[in-house]
Amino acid sequence: EELRENLNAGKGEYAGVIHIKTEGAGAAETNAGPSPSLEAQLVDIMVKADVSLKTAVRTLYESNRARLAKKDVYGASLNIKGLLNG
């Protein structure tokens, strides 16, 4: 809400930190540490490729079909929308 009311919000950069608690968080850990959440992977794609959330969902799912369910990727996108829309 502060950003919407700030007339200078379009000037500058912003950083956001998203922490999503997941059930069984230790199960997916490897020697390199836990893998990034689906939400983090979607945001990473959006930022690096300068694409919309919808395109990031498609990109993430298509590049990981063997290990990801489409409903999980879509659910992660809804989590991001919920966080951004307050």
Side-chain angles (χ1 to χ4, degrees):
E1 196 169 306
E2 275 184 56
L3 289 176
R4 284 188 212 117
E5 294 172 4
N6 185 341
L7 298 176
N8 294 316
K11 301 175 184 176
E13 297 181 12
Y14 296 90
V17 177
I18 300 173
H19 178 77
I20 307 289
K21 291 184 180 183
T22 57
E23 294 180 29
E29 293 185 15
T30 64
N31 290 338
S35 59
S37 67
L38 292 175
E39 291 84 358
Q41 293 177 58
L42 287 169
V43 171
D44 187 58
I45 292 168
M46 290 169 57
V47 170
K48 288 181 177 175
D50 192 26
V51 296
S52 67
L53 180 58
K54 182 177 179 179
T55 301
V57 167
R58 187 177 335 111
T59 301
L60 181 60
Y61 175 69
E62 289 177 357
S63 64
N64 295 284
R65 280 182 194 235
R67 65 175 192 88
L68 294 177
K70 192 170 190 175
K71 68 176 184 159
D72 293 337
V73 178
Y74 179 71
S77 74
L78 293 179
N79 289 340
I80 292 171
K81 282 183 181 179
L83 289 169
L84 295 177
N85 293 329

